[in-house]
Amino acid sequence: MSRLLIACAVLLGASSAFAQAPAAPAAPPKAAPASKAAPAATAPKAAQPDPRKAVAERTQAALAQLPAPKPEDVKSIDSLLKALYDSISGPGGTARDWQRFRSLFYPGATLVPLMGSPTAPGIRAQPFSVEEYIALATAASSQQGFFEKETQRQALGYGALVQVMSTYEARGTPDGAVMMKGVNSIQVFNDGQRWWLMHIVWLDEKTAGLKVPTDLTRK
């Protein structure tokens, strides 16, 4: 922040010639400035609500609404991802077990396909909530079968937090031709009681414009 600079006037002594000049008449005294009213006291600002409290309350309410998971689905990362792939797969016209699907996700979780744009270069993200994804997938599965399975996995972890890069193949029938390949980037964590899905972002080969490599380490 800049500082204010105060200039000080320097009084210079007058020469003897000016000292002998007649004195100028004294200026009339200036009227005293009118007293200013004291500023009104500023009302204290209202305390701002703590957003952490609102988030905690909302999260606890959402957790209470979740269906109970199958214990075997959430005991490990392997079982969690198997339940994820199983719950979104099935023949066309057959309802999926969306209650099982819901039970895998922590409140606030998102599912994000990365997609090409028909009007602009590059890739855009399209985040869905769990409920929005269910609505979308329900409409699609009423007309066509969809079977997705994991083909390989790489994971990095720190304590209870794990990032999984899960390569997948998608088919219209369990033994049909591969319609799509890609990678699911899946964030999971353990709260001390079970494993949870937090976020999933996925990118397929067609959108990426390249084949899924064996080693997913970014060069």
Side-chain angles (χ1 to χ4, degrees):
M1 295 177 66
S2 61
R3 296 180 179 179
L4 296 178
L5 300 178
I6 303 175
C8 296
V10 179
L11 297 177
L12 300 177
S15 65
S16 58
F18 286 106
Q20 296 173 2
K30 294 182 178 179
S35 61
K36 295 182 179 179
T42 304
K45 292 183 178 180
Q48 295 298 315
D50 187 345
R52 293 171 298 183
K53 180 180 179 181
V55 170
E57 292 174 349
R58 183 172 68 245
T59 300
Q60 288 303 312
L63 284 168
Q65 300 283 331
L66 285 177
K70 297 179 179 180
E72 62 270 21
D73 282 350
V74 296
K75 66 181 181 180
S76 68
I77 295 176
D78 282 341
S79 62
L80 184 71
L81 297 191
K82 183 179 185 302
L84 170 66
Y85 282 111
D86 285 351
S87 61
I88 63 176
S89 299
T94 301
R96 307 293 188 259
D97 188 349
W98 293 123
Q99 287 294 85
R100 183 186 186 191
F101 182 80
R102 288 183 177 96
S103 74
L104 307 177
F105 289 87
Y106 201 78
T110 55
L111 300 98
V112 188
L114 300 181
M115 307 170 64
S117 171
T119 59
I123 294 175
R124 59 190 175 90
Q126 192 170 45
F128 290 89
S129 68
V130 171
E131 293 304 317
E132 289 168 337
Y133 177 86
I134 289 173
L136 181 70
T138 297
S141 63
S142 67
Q143 301 178 7
Q144 61 186 23
F146 181 80
F147 294 83
E148 186 171 308
K149 71 175 184 178
E150 184 181 57
T151 57
Q152 65 177 6
R153 183 192 307 170
Q154 295 179 25
L156 293 172
Y158 174 68
L161 172 66
V162 179
Q163 175 66 42
V164 180
M165 299 295 281
S166 176
T167 301
Y168 67 85
E169 291 180 351
R171 295 173 167 82
T173 61
D175 301 319
V178 175
M179 302 184 303
M180 189 183 305
K181 292 183 179 181
V183 176
N184 288 313
S185 175
I186 306 173
Q187 187 181 78
V188 303
F189 78 98
N190 192 303
D191 64 357
Q193 303 296 321
R194 53 161 289 181
W195 285 96
W196 292 94
L197 293 168
M198 193 68 244
H199 299 296
I200 305 176
V201 183
W202 65 92
L203 178 65
D204 62 68
E205 287 184 333
K206 182 178 179 181
T207 303
L210 70 156
K211 297 291 185 181
V212 175
T214 303
D215 181 5
L216 294 174
T217 302
R218 183 63 185 266
K219 301 296 192 295

